[in-house]
Tab-separated table of all heavy atoms in Angstrom:
chain	number	residue	atom	x	y	z
A	1	LEU	N	89.181	-26.022	-16.660
A	1	LEU	CA	90.282	-25.914	-17.615
A	1	LEU	C	91.113	-27.196	-17.653
A	1	LEU	O	91.556	-27.631	-18.719
A	1	LEU	CB	91.171	-24.722	-17.258
A	1	LEU	CG	90.517	-23.334	-17.378
A	1	LEU	CD1	91.480	-22.247	-16.929
A	1	LEU	CD2	90.062	-23.080	-18.810
A	2	VAL	N	91.304	-27.809	-16.478
A	2	VAL	CA	92.035	-29.087	-16.437
A	2	VAL	C	91.269	-30.157	-17.205
A	2	VAL	O	91.851	-30.932	-17.974
A	2	VAL	CB	92.256	-29.527	-14.971
A	2	VAL	CG1	92.793	-30.959	-14.916
A	2	VAL	CG2	93.227	-28.586	-14.277
A	3	ASP	N	89.937	-30.197	-17.028
A	3	ASP	CA	89.128	-31.201	-17.710
A	3	ASP	C	89.114	-31.007	-19.224
A	3	ASP	O	88.989	-31.978	-19.985
A	3	ASP	CB	87.687	-31.167	-17.185
A	3	ASP	CG	87.567	-31.748	-15.784
A	3	ASP	OD1	88.492	-32.491	-15.392
A	3	ASP	OD2	86.583	-31.463	-15.098
A	4	LEU	N	89.241	-29.767	-19.668
A	4	LEU	CA	89.229	-29.495	-21.107
A	4	LEU	C	90.425	-30.124	-21.828
A	4	LEU	O	90.336	-30.456	-23.004
A	4	LEU	CB	89.207	-27.982	-21.362
A	4	LEU	CG	87.878	-27.262	-21.093
A	4	LEU	CD1	88.044	-25.765	-21.259
A	4	LEU	CD2	86.781	-27.768	-22.035
A	5	VAL	N	91.548	-30.288	-21.101
A	5	VAL	CA	92.756	-30.829	-21.726
A	5	VAL	C	93.065	-32.250	-21.249
A	5	VAL	O	94.081	-32.816	-21.637
A	5	VAL	CB	93.968	-29.908	-21.455
A	5	VAL	CG1	93.760	-28.548	-22.080
A	5	VAL	CG2	94.234	-29.767	-19.958
A	6	SER	N	92.184	-32.819	-20.412
A	6	SER	CA	92.428	-34.152	-19.872
A	6	SER	C	91.564	-35.185	-20.577
A	6	SER	O	90.416	-34.903	-20.959
A	6	SER	CB	92.121	-34.190	-18.369
A	6	SER	OG	92.931	-33.267	-17.664
A	7	LEU	N	92.103	-36.383	-20.723
A	7	LEU	CA	91.323	-37.470	-21.284
A	7	LEU	C	90.347	-38.024	-20.253
A	7	LEU	O	89.212	-38.372	-20.588
A	7	LEU	CB	92.257	-38.579	-21.774
A	7	LEU	CG	93.171	-38.195	-22.941
A	7	LEU	CD1	94.091	-39.360	-23.284
A	7	LEU	CD2	92.334	-37.798	-24.166
A	8	ARG	N	90.792	-38.122	-18.986
A	8	ARG	CA	89.932	-38.607	-17.899
A	8	ARG	C	89.445	-37.406	-17.105
A	8	ARG	O	90.203	-36.765	-16.395
A	8	ARG	CB	90.693	-39.581	-16.994
A	8	ARG	CG	91.165	-40.849	-17.684
A	8	ARG	CD	91.734	-41.817	-16.672
A	8	ARG	NE	90.720	-42.266	-15.733
A	8	ARG	CZ	90.984	-42.653	-14.482
A	8	ARG	NH1	92.232	-42.618	-14.024
A	8	ARG	NH2	90.021	-43.069	-13.684
A	9	LYS	N	88.176	-37.123	-17.230
A	9	LYS	CA	87.589	-35.966	-16.540
A	9	LYS	C	86.923	-36.478	-15.266
A	9	LYS	O	85.738	-36.826	-15.261
A	9	LYS	CB	86.592	-35.261	-17.452
A	9	LYS	CG	87.174	-34.959	-18.840
A	9	LYS	CD	86.142	-34.331	-19.745
A	9	LYS	CE	86.612	-34.317	-21.196
A	9	LYS	NZ	87.933	-33.716	-21.390
A	10	ILE	N	87.687	-36.534	-14.188
A	10	ILE	CA	87.182	-37.131	-12.951
A	10	ILE	C	87.317	-36.144	-11.789
A	10	ILE	O	88.134	-35.216	-11.819
A	10	ILE	CB	87.940	-38.426	-12.604
A	10	ILE	CG1	89.437	-38.143	-12.424
A	10	ILE	CG2	87.708	-39.492	-13.672
A	10	ILE	CD1	90.223	-39.343	-11.921
A	11	ILE	N	86.474	-36.365	-10.774
A	11	ILE	CA	86.562	-35.622	-9.526
A	11	ILE	C	86.166	-36.587	-8.415
A	11	ILE	O	85.256	-37.416	-8.586
A	11	ILE	CB	85.644	-34.377	-9.539
A	11	ILE	CG1	85.873	-33.526	-8.286
A	11	ILE	CG2	84.179	-34.753	-9.674
A	11	ILE	CD1	85.192	-32.161	-8.340
A	12	SER	N	86.839	-36.522	-7.295
A	12	SER	CA	86.537	-37.426	-6.192
A	12	SER	C	85.212	-37.043	-5.541
A	12	SER	O	84.696	-35.938	-5.721
A	12	SER	CB	87.655	-37.376	-5.146
A	12	SER	OG	87.697	-36.101	-4.519
A	13	PHE	N	84.662	-37.971	-4.750
A	13	PHE	CA	83.406	-37.717	-4.040
A	13	PHE	C	83.571	-36.546	-3.078
A	13	PHE	O	82.721	-35.642	-3.024
A	13	PHE	CB	82.993	-38.980	-3.279
A	13	PHE	CG	81.669	-38.854	-2.577
A	13	PHE	CD1	80.477	-38.976	-3.273
A	13	PHE	CD2	81.619	-38.614	-1.217
A	13	PHE	CE1	79.255	-38.864	-2.629
A	13	PHE	CE2	80.406	-38.494	-0.556
A	13	PHE	CZ	79.215	-38.624	-1.268
A	14	VAL	N	84.684	-36.544	-2.322
A	14	VAL	CA	84.941	-35.448	-1.379
A	14	VAL	C	85.167	-34.138	-2.133
A	14	VAL	O	84.659	-33.084	-1.742
A	14	VAL	CB	86.154	-35.781	-0.485
A	14	VAL	CG1	86.523	-34.581	0.400
A	14	VAL	CG2	85.847	-37.003	0.379
A	15	GLY	N	85.935	-34.217	-3.228
A	15	GLY	CA	86.188	-33.019	-4.025
A	15	GLY	C	84.915	-32.435	-4.592
A	15	GLY	O	84.751	-31.208	-4.648
A	16	CYS	N	83.988	-33.296	-5.002
A	16	CYS	CA	82.703	-32.839	-5.519
A	16	CYS	C	81.912	-32.114	-4.430
A	16	CYS	O	81.319	-31.057	-4.673
A	16	CYS	CB	81.902	-34.022	-6.055
A	16	CYS	SG	80.335	-33.595	-6.818
A	17	GLY	N	81.917	-32.683	-3.232
A	17	GLY	CA	81.211	-32.050	-2.115
A	17	GLY	C	81.805	-30.700	-1.750
A	17	GLY	O	81.072	-29.740	-1.476
A	18	ILE	N	83.130	-30.615	-1.756
A	18	ILE	CA	83.794	-29.348	-1.436
A	18	ILE	C	83.476	-28.289	-2.487
A	18	ILE	O	83.186	-27.130	-2.167
A	18	ILE	CB	85.311	-29.562	-1.315
A	18	ILE	CG1	85.623	-30.420	-0.083
A	18	ILE	CG2	86.045	-28.223	-1.232
A	18	ILE	CD1	87.083	-30.809	0.037
A	19	GLN	N	83.536	-28.691	-3.751
A	19	GLN	CA	83.223	-27.746	-4.831
A	19	GLN	C	81.784	-27.256	-4.724
A	19	GLN	O	81.497	-26.056	-4.885
A	19	GLN	CB	83.449	-28.417	-6.187
A	19	GLN	CG	83.331	-27.447	-7.361
A	19	GLN	CD	83.525	-28.130	-8.705
A	19	GLN	OE1	82.836	-29.089	-9.018
A	19	GLN	NE2	84.468	-27.632	-9.492
A	20	MET	N	80.854	-28.165	-4.431
A	20	MET	CA	79.451	-27.794	-4.303
A	20	MET	C	79.241	-26.842	-3.130
A	20	MET	O	78.503	-25.845	-3.230
A	20	MET	CB	78.595	-29.053	-4.123
A	20	MET	CG	77.096	-28.783	-4.149
A	20	MET	SD	76.148	-30.285	-3.809
A	20	MET	CE	76.750	-31.361	-5.095
A	21	TYR	N	79.903	-27.133	-1.996
A	21	TYR	CA	79.747	-26.283	-0.809
A	21	TYR	C	80.178	-24.846	-1.106
A	21	TYR	O	79.442	-23.896	-0.822
A	21	TYR	CB	80.574	-26.843	0.352
A	21	TYR	CG	80.639	-25.897	1.534
A	21	TYR	CD1	79.604	-25.863	2.479
A	21	TYR	CD2	81.708	-25.012	1.701
A	21	TYR	CE1	79.643	-24.990	3.553
A	21	TYR	CE2	81.740	-24.132	2.767
A	21	TYR	CZ	80.712	-24.127	3.690
A	21	TYR	OH	80.749	-23.247	4.751
A	22	PHE	N	81.357	-24.683	-1.666
A	22	PHE	CA	81.854	-23.328	-1.905
A	22	PHE	C	81.089	-22.633	-3.025
A	22	PHE	O	80.958	-21.400	-3.013
A	22	PHE	CB	83.355	-23.353	-2.202
A	22	PHE	CG	84.181	-23.524	-0.974
A	22	PHE	CD1	84.825	-24.724	-0.715
A	22	PHE	CD2	84.311	-22.487	-0.068
A	22	PHE	CE1	85.585	-24.887	0.433
A	22	PHE	CE2	85.072	-22.635	1.079
A	22	PHE	CZ	85.714	-23.838	1.333
A	23	PHE	N	80.553	-23.390	-3.976
A	23	PHE	CA	79.716	-22.785	-5.009
A	23	PHE	C	78.462	-22.183	-4.386
A	23	PHE	O	78.100	-21.032	-4.666
A	23	PHE	CB	79.346	-23.829	-6.063
A	23	PHE	CG	78.297	-23.359	-7.029
A	23	PHE	CD1	78.603	-22.437	-8.018
A	23	PHE	CD2	76.991	-23.831	-6.932
A	23	PHE	CE1	77.634	-21.994	-8.906
A	23	PHE	CE2	76.012	-23.394	-7.817
A	23	PHE	CZ	76.342	-22.478	-8.803
A	24	PHE	N	77.779	-22.963	-3.524
A	24	PHE	CA	76.592	-22.446	-2.839
A	24	PHE	C	76.956	-21.276	-1.927
A	24	PHE	O	76.222	-20.291	-1.834
A	24	PHE	CB	75.926	-23.556	-2.017
A	24	PHE	CG	75.237	-24.602	-2.835
A	24	PHE	CD1	75.243	-25.931	-2.446
A	24	PHE	CD2	74.571	-24.268	-4.000
A	24	PHE	CE1	74.600	-26.905	-3.193
A	24	PHE	CE2	73.922	-25.227	-4.760
A	24	PHE	CZ	73.935	-26.547	-4.357
A	25	PHE	N	78.088	-21.396	-1.236
A	25	PHE	CA	78.489	-20.362	-0.270
A	25	PHE	C	78.719	-19.018	-0.959
A	25	PHE	O	78.137	-17.997	-0.577
A	25	PHE	CB	79.755	-20.811	0.463
A	25	PHE	CG	80.363	-19.751	1.340
A	25	PHE	CD1	79.786	-19.413	2.549
A	25	PHE	CD2	81.510	-19.076	0.942
A	25	PHE	CE1	80.337	-18.421	3.358
A	25	PHE	CE2	82.070	-18.094	1.734
A	25	PHE	CZ	81.487	-17.760	2.945
A	26	PHE	N	79.569	-19.002	-1.977
A	26	PHE	CA	79.886	-17.738	-2.636
A	26	PHE	C	78.694	-17.205	-3.436
A	26	PHE	O	78.491	-15.988	-3.506
A	26	PHE	CB	81.111	-17.907	-3.536
A	26	PHE	CG	82.382	-18.143	-2.788
A	26	PHE	CD1	83.137	-19.291	-3.001
A	26	PHE	CD2	82.832	-17.225	-1.851
A	26	PHE	CE1	84.309	-19.516	-2.306
A	26	PHE	CE2	84.014	-17.437	-1.148
A	26	PHE	CZ	84.752	-18.583	-1.371
A	27	GLY	N	77.900	-18.100	-4.028
A	27	GLY	CA	76.732	-17.649	-4.774
A	27	GLY	C	75.706	-16.980	-3.876
A	27	GLY	O	75.177	-15.907	-4.207
A	28	SER	N	75.413	-17.595	-2.716
A	28	SER	CA	74.455	-17.005	-1.776
A	28	SER	C	74.977	-15.693	-1.212
A	28	SER	O	74.221	-14.724	-1.064
A	28	SER	CB	74.174	-17.986	-0.632
A	28	SER	OG	73.672	-19.205	-1.119
A	29	SER	N	76.259	-15.653	-0.901
A	29	SER	CA	76.850	-14.427	-0.354
A	29	SER	C	76.761	-13.282	-1.348
A	29	SER	O	76.490	-12.134	-0.977
A	29	SER	CB	78.314	-14.673	0.029
A	29	SER	OG	78.422	-15.675	1.023
A	30	GLU	N	76.962	-13.590	-2.635
A	30	GLU	CA	76.883	-12.535	-3.648
A	30	GLU	C	75.465	-12.001	-3.787
A	30	GLU	O	75.268	-10.799	-4.006
A	30	GLU	CB	77.390	-13.044	-4.994
A	30	GLU	CG	77.411	-11.971	-6.063
A	30	GLU	CD	78.257	-12.317	-7.272
A	30	GLU	OE1	79.007	-13.311	-7.204
A	30	GLU	OE2	78.162	-11.598	-8.267
A	31	CYS	N	74.460	-12.866	-3.647
A	31	CYS	CA	73.072	-12.399	-3.702
A	31	CYS	C	72.823	-11.329	-2.648
A	31	CYS	O	72.228	-10.277	-2.934
A	31	CYS	CB	72.110	-13.570	-3.496
A	31	CYS	SG	72.015	-14.726	-4.875
A	32	PHE	N	73.260	-11.599	-1.420
A	32	PHE	CA	73.020	-10.639	-0.343
A	32	PHE	C	73.905	-9.405	-0.477
A	32	PHE	O	73.487	-8.300	-0.142
A	32	PHE	CB	73.228	-11.315	1.015
A	32	PHE	CG	72.036	-12.078	1.490
A	32	PHE	CD1	71.873	-13.414	1.161
A	32	PHE	CD2	71.048	-11.462	2.231
A	32	PHE	CE1	70.755	-14.115	1.574
A	32	PHE	CE2	69.928	-12.151	2.655
A	32	PHE	CZ	69.780	-13.487	2.324
A	33	LEU	N	75.122	-9.577	-0.975
A	33	LEU	CA	75.992	-8.410	-1.153
A	33	LEU	C	75.410	-7.454	-2.189
A	33	LEU	O	75.451	-6.230	-2.010
A	33	LEU	CB	77.392	-8.853	-1.575
A	33	LEU	CG	78.418	-7.724	-1.738
A	33	LEU	CD1	78.643	-7.004	-0.413
A	33	LEU	CD2	79.736	-8.258	-2.271
A	34	LEU	N	74.828	-7.985	-3.253
A	34	LEU	CA	74.210	-7.130	-4.269
A	34	LEU	C	73.022	-6.365	-3.697
A	34	LEU	O	72.772	-5.212	-4.071
A	34	LEU	CB	73.761	-7.969	-5.469
A	34	LEU	CG	74.893	-8.539	-6.339
A	34	LEU	CD1	74.337	-9.487	-7.389
A	34	LEU	CD2	75.684	-7.416	-7.011
A	35	SER	N	72.286	-6.990	-2.766
A	35	SER	CA	71.164	-6.276	-2.139
A	35	SER	C	71.673	-5.183	-1.211
A	35	SER	O	71.066	-4.104	-1.118
A	35	SER	CB	70.268	-7.262	-1.378
A	35	SER	OG	70.934	-7.799	-0.256
A	36	MET	N	72.780	-5.429	-0.521
A	36	MET	CA	73.378	-4.392	0.330
A	36	MET	C	73.874	-3.215	-0.513
A	36	MET	O	73.762	-2.050	-0.116
A	36	MET	CB	74.529	-4.978	1.147
A	36	MET	CG	74.147	-6.102	2.078
A	36	MET	SD	72.919	-5.611	3.302
A	36	MET	CE	72.448	-7.199	3.967
A	37	MET	N	74.409	-3.512	-1.682
A	37	MET	CA	74.882	-2.450	-2.570
A	37	MET	C	73.710	-1.619	-3.091
A	37	MET	O	73.833	-0.405	-3.287
A	37	MET	CB	75.663	-3.061	-3.734
A	37	MET	CG	76.966	-3.715	-3.318
A	37	MET	SD	77.792	-4.595	-4.660
A	37	MET	CE	78.333	-3.225	-5.668
A	38	ALA	N	72.550	-2.260	-3.293
A	38	ALA	CA	71.357	-1.515	-3.716
A	38	ALA	C	70.916	-0.556	-2.618
A	38	ALA	O	70.534	0.594	-2.901
A	38	ALA	CB	70.235	-2.489	-4.066
A	39	TYR	N	70.964	-0.995	-1.373
A	39	TYR	CA	70.605	-0.112	-0.264
A	39	TYR	C	71.574	1.064	-0.176
A	39	TYR	O	71.168	2.202	0.071
A	39	TYR	CB	70.607	-0.892	1.051
A	39	TYR	CG	70.366	-0.022	2.264
A	39	TYR	CD1	69.096	0.487	2.530
A	39	TYR	CD2	71.406	0.303	3.136
A	39	TYR	CE1	68.869	1.292	3.632
A	39	TYR	CE2	71.188	1.108	4.231
A	39	TYR	CZ	69.918	1.600	4.478
A	39	TYR	OH	69.704	2.406	5.569
A	40	ASP	N	72.857	0.794	-0.410
A	40	ASP	CA	73.868	1.858	-0.399
A	40	ASP	C	73.537	2.921	-1.452
A	40	ASP	O	73.638	4.123	-1.192
A	40	ASP	CB	75.244	1.247	-0.666
A	40	ASP	CG	76.316	2.302	-0.832
A	40	ASP	OD1	76.743	2.889	0.183
A	40	ASP	OD2	76.733	2.557	-1.985
A	41	ARG	N	73.097	2.503	-2.619
A	41	ARG	CA	72.746	3.460	-3.663
A	41	ARG	C	71.482	4.241	-3.324
A	41	ARG	O	71.365	5.427	-3.644
A	41	ARG	CB	72.577	2.741	-5.005
A	41	ARG	CG	73.895	2.587	-5.728
A	41	ARG	CD	74.098	1.208	-6.304
A	41	ARG	NE	75.439	1.096	-6.867
A	41	ARG	CZ	76.535	0.821	-6.153
A	41	ARG	NH1	76.465	0.696	-4.842
A	41	ARG	NH2	77.712	0.721	-6.729
A	42	PHE	N	70.535	3.575	-2.649
A	42	PHE	CA	69.331	4.288	-2.219
A	42	PHE	C	69.674	5.396	-1.221
A	42	PHE	O	69.151	6.513	-1.315
A	42	PHE	CB	68.336	3.310	-1.600
A	42	PHE	CG	67.298	3.986	-0.746
A	42	PHE	CD1	66.353	4.825	-1.318
A	42	PHE	CD2	67.284	3.794	0.623
A	42	PHE	CE1	65.398	5.461	-0.533
A	42	PHE	CE2	66.342	4.424	1.415
A	42	PHE	CZ	65.392	5.257	0.835
A	43	VAL	N	70.552	5.085	-0.268
A	43	VAL	CA	70.946	6.098	0.718
A	43	VAL	C	71.687	7.242	0.034
A	43	VAL	O	71.467	8.422	0.340
A	43	VAL	CB	71.814	5.472	1.830
A	43	VAL	CG1	72.320	6.549	2.792
A	43	VAL	CG2	71.028	4.418	2.594
A	44	ALA	N	72.566	6.902	-0.920
A	44	ALA	CA	73.345	7.935	-1.612
A	44	ALA	C	72.455	8.883	-2.404
A	44	ALA	O	72.732	10.089	-2.486
A	44	ALA	CB	74.369	7.282	-2.539
A	45	ILE	N	71.364	8.363	-2.973
A	45	ILE	CA	70.475	9.190	-3.795
A	45	ILE	C	69.356	9.815	-2.968
A	45	ILE	O	69.002	10.978	-3.155
A	45	ILE	CB	69.885	8.349	-4.945
A	45	ILE	CG1	71.009	7.932	-5.905
A	45	ILE	CG2	68.796	9.101	-5.698
A	45	ILE	CD1	70.582	6.932	-6.949
A	46	GLY	N	68.804	9.052	-2.026
A	46	GLY	CA	67.683	9.549	-1.235
A	46	GLY	C	68.075	10.441	-0.070
A	46	GLY	O	67.320	11.334	0.318
A	47	ASN	N	69.257	10.202	0.513
A	47	ASN	CA	69.720	11.004	1.650
A	47	ASN	C	71.183	11.395	1.459
A	47	ASN	O	72.048	10.999	2.251
A	47	ASN	CB	69.564	10.219	2.961
A	47	ASN	CG	68.127	9.880	3.268
A	47	ASN	OD1	67.382	10.687	3.795
A	47	ASN	ND2	67.737	8.651	2.933
């Protein structure tokens, strides 16, 4: 949103690394959380 209204769309090297780290972290965590939720539904329906 900041870049959409800014003339200079920049990010520092460290800032880029931090953004990439947390993107991978939360994305991977959500993949596994969705699989855990599928198991929860299997138990609720099967047992």
Side-chain angles (χ1 to χ4, degrees):
L1 295 177
V2 170
D3 287 341
L4 286 175
V5 297
S6 300
L7 295 177
R8 297 188 64 208
K9 310 177 193 307
I10 60 173
I11 187 170
S12 66
F13 183 79
V14 174
C16 184
I18 292 174
Q19 188 181 55
M20 187 184 303
Y21 171 83
F22 283 107
F23 170 74
F24 289 144
F25 172 75
F26 292 121
S28 302
S29 299
E30 183 164 349
C31 289
F32 277 90
L33 182 62
L34 290 173
S35 68
M36 299 300 168
M37 293 173 71
Y39 175 74
D40 173 75
R41 274 135 186 83
F42 161 67
V43 175
I45 294 171
N47 298 278

